[in-house]
Amino acid sequence: LSGQNNTGIKGFYLTGEPNGNLTWARGIPFVVDDYVVTAGKTLTINSGVVVKFNDDLAGLYVAGHLDVNGISASRSYFTSLKDDTVGGNTAVERNIISGNETYGIWINGDGAGSTGNVVKGNYIGSSSTLTNLAGSNQDYGIYVNNIASNNTIGGSGAGEANVIAFNTVNGIYLINTTTTGNKITYNPIYSNTGKPINLNYGVNQANNGKTIPVISTATPTTVSGTSGASDVIEVFKNTTTNCFDATNFVGTTTAVAGNWSLTGLSLVA
């Protein structure tokens, strides 16, 4: 289906849910009201596809599986219908996921489980130039819940990390004891109002209540501390005034018996 609404923007206007597995191919934009990928179904979004959300309450809800195949030469875009700065004719910008009412990305197991999803290479909460998007009140950059397990957010390869910034609550929020095994790696997370990563500690906590790493010692050449027994620790340098922020990746190490140390650094004292 294609058409044009009162904004004058032509595109495929979508609401409801697909009857089966579906692939969106590059062409005119896909404009979403409330679209649900139900459990057991897969929505594949090819490179170069532009997905625009019709208003502040619109959303793409995934209880099944979402496979987005943007590449550096032909990015896929998730943005607001009001945003004309991305999603046009350029193919060198990355995915911009901003300006939504509540969630930038929502991975929802919906009681049946959602697993194996990979979120990488996106700007989530910011503009295409990594500034605060004017008028955006997106609460959560990424929200993961309800038997959504063994998903990956970020990556160590070139361009695989997400930049998650300027969300009004948390950068990444995971909730429910059934939400486990989710890997969050290499992502700069900063300038969010609340915590960069929130596992909902204390009540209904996610990722098996993973132990929060603690920095015990920090010098210009060495950072060390404690954590879970064999946790992988990633150290970031902060370039803002917020002690929660993680702006620049420094290095990674693995804890031994709950102790970790990263040496050979060159940090400003």
Side-chain angles (χ1 to χ4, degrees), residues 1-14 28-29 31:
L1 299 175
S2 66
Q4 184 169 301
N5 71 354
N6 58 12
T7 65
I9 297 176
K10 183 179 288 187
F12 293 99
Y13 285 80
L14 301 167
I28 60 177
V31 182

Side-chain angles (χ1 to χ4, degrees), residues 200-230:
N200 201 52
Y201 283 103
V203 179
N204 211 11
Q205 57 196 11
N207 270 16
N208 297 316
K210 178 64 70 177
T211 300
I212 300 174
V214 174
I215 295 176
S216 303
T217 303
T219 73
T221 59
T222 301
V223 180
S224 62
T226 59
S227 67
S230 56

Side-chain angles (χ1 to χ4, degrees), residues 184-213:
I184 303 169
T185 182
Y186 279 78
N187 306 287
I189 308 175
Y190 58 87
S191 296
N192 301 287
T193 302
K195 296 177 181 178
I197 300 173
N198 187 350
L199 301 184
N200 201 52
Y201 283 103
V203 179
N204 211 11
Q205 57 196 11
N207 270 16
N208 297 316
K210 178 64 70 177
T211 300
I212 300 174

Side-chain angles (χ1 to χ4, degrees), residues 238-267:
N238 184 6
T239 59
T240 75
T241 58
N242 187 340
C243 64
F244 281 133
D245 286 355
T247 49
N248 295 332
F249 179 80
V250 172
T252 183
T253 188
T254 301
V256 177
N259 297 292
W260 59 270
S261 181
L262 190 64
T263 61
L265 305 177
S266 179
L267 303 174

Side-chain angles (χ1 to χ4, degrees), residues 62 64-67 107 114-119 148-153:
V62 181
H65 188 79
L66 177 65
D67 185 6
I107 303 176
S114 183
T115 185
N117 298 289
V118 178
V119 180
S149 299
N150 301 315
N151 302 290
T152 301
I153 300 171

